[in-house]
């Protein structure tokens, strides 16, 4: 199994809603990541988890709350989002953060629209 | 200065042509380098890692020049299916990959 699975694929939510994005991998990877990608822009790093611990938060607003329940799962909890948060949210994983020679495997993303 | 810079294109080339992209990076301590491909409304997919000695995978050749801090990607005998955005990616070794803005390539029949 060489996939990173993200659900849901599409999500429309209101600004007062609470929702969660889910990401799962079964490749034994110990580093997992959340990226945000706006149209015609490159992915931008949001969070890094290493061995189930948050190791990087790129100054992301608190309305985004990551969670890593175990080594295979990564969630992103959303609350009180703004329309400008609409984007493609990508989850990725890699062997480990100290394996600099490894690239990432990305999930297919969740396309989020905030209305 | 951006950490990773690419010519955004677009590059429009005929099928069968050879096309090359370059990318420069600013952090001399960068540890590893990659080219990713991203199709419209899809996730980025690893195309190839880039090594100092240069490496080849079929029609694709990647080169790294650490002294000048640039990497390149050469596509020979281009196919219609090569149309995509090509992202230059640098691992800073600080637990994160940094993406260039991407180069958009269209192969025309």
């Amino acid at each position: 199994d060489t996939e990173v699975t993200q659900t849901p694929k599409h999500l429309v939510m209101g600004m007062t809603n609470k929702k969660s994005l889910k990401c799962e991998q079964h490749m034994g990877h110990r580093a997992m990541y959340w990226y945000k990608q706006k149209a015609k822009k490159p992915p931008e790093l949001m969070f890094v988890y290493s061995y189930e611990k948050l190791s990087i938060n790129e100054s992301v607003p608190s309305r985004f709350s990551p969670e890593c329940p175990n080594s295979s799962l990564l969630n992103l909890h959303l609350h009180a989002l703004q329309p400008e948060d609409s984007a493609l949210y990508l989850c990725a994983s890699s062997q480990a953060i100290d394996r600099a020679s490894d690239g990432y495997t990305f999930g297919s993303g969740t396309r989020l629209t905030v209305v | 200065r951006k950490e990773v810079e690419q010519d955004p294109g677009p590059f429009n080339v005929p099928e069968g042509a050879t096309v090359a992209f370059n990318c420069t990076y600013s952090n001399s301590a960068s540890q590893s380098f990659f080219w990713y491909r991203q199709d419209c409304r899809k996730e980025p997919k690893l195309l190839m890692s880039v090594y100092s000695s240069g490496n080849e995978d079929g029609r694709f050749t990647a080169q790294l020049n650490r002294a000048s801090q640039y990497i390149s990607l050469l596509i020979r005998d281009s196919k219609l299916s090569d149309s995509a955005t090509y992202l230059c990616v640098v691992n800073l070794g600080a637990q994160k990959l940094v993406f260039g803005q991407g180069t958009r390539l269209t192969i025309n029949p």
Side-chain angles (χ1 to χ4, degrees):
Chain A
D1 187 352
T2 56
E3 286 188 349
V4 175
T5 303
Q6 287 187 245
T7 55
K9 292 195 184 304
H10 301 274
L11 178 62
V12 179
M13 60 185 289
M15 289 187 283
T16 58
N17 290 159
K18 285 185 181 181
K19 296 286 185 184
S20 296
L21 309 185
K22 297 186 182 302
C23 175
E24 189 169 3
Q25 58 88 13
H26 295 289
M27 295 179 281
H29 288 175
R30 301 314 300 269
M32 296 185 77
Y33 312 82
W34 280 114
Y35 277 81
K36 172 181 177 179
Q37 186 174 24
K38 302 282 276 184
K40 299 188 189 301
K41 297 288 188 184
E44 293 180 354
L45 182 65
M46 300 175 71
F47 302 104
V48 178
Y49 271 83
S50 174
Y51 294 90
E52 298 150 57
K53 288 185 174 15
L54 182 66
S55 62
I56 289 183
N57 175 340
E58 290 283 284
S59 303
V60 179
S62 59
R63 58 186 184 270
F64 295 91
S65 174
E67 178 197 19
C68 190
N70 60 55
S71 60
S72 299
L73 294 174
L74 185 66
N75 298 322
L76 186 63
H77 303 298
L78 314 173
H79 173 54
L81 295 193
Q82 303 296 312
E84 58 265 29
D85 296 321
S86 299
L88 179 67
Y89 288 83
L90 293 160
C91 174
S93 69
S94 67
Q95 290 275 9
I97 59 172
D98 55 353
R99 291 274 295 265
S101 60
D102 293 342
Y104 293 179
T105 300
F106 281 89
S108 56
T110 294
R111 192 161 298 278
L112 174 68
T113 303
V114 181
V115 297
Chain B
R1 184 184 173 187
K2 291 182 181 176
E3 290 177 299
V4 180
E5 294 204 61
Q6 287 182 255
D7 180 348
F11 284 58
N12 291 285
V13 302
E15 193 174 7
T18 295
V19 60
F21 310 133
N22 287 329
C23 162
T24 58
Y25 60 95
S26 60
N27 189 330
S28 60
S30 299
Q31 297 190 2
S32 51
F33 309 87
F34 310 91
W35 283 103
Y36 276 75
R37 170 197 170 127
Q38 187 168 25
D39 293 288
C40 188
R41 300 182 72 82
K42 299 284 191 181
E43 76 275 20
K45 292 189 176 177
L46 180 63
L47 181 64
M48 56 198 306
S49 301
V50 189
Y51 304 114
S52 297
S53 54
N55 48 301
E56 188 173 309
D57 183 1
R59 298 182 292 108
F60 298 84
T61 301
Q63 296 274 355
L64 166 63
N65 185 318
R66 282 191 183 270
S68 301
Q69 295 183 203
Y70 79 81
I71 70 174
S72 64
L73 177 68
L74 182 78
I75 306 175
R76 290 182 299 279
D77 187 24
S78 53
K79 311 290 184 192
L80 296 177
S81 57
D82 294 333
S83 297
T85 295
Y86 290 83
L87 296 158
C88 171
V89 184
V90 174
N91 187 330
L92 299 181
Q95 305 177 6
K96 64 181 184 180
L97 297 185
V98 177
F99 287 76
Q101 65 182 113
T103 297
R104 193 167 172 185
L105 172 67
T106 301
I107 306 299
N108 301 308

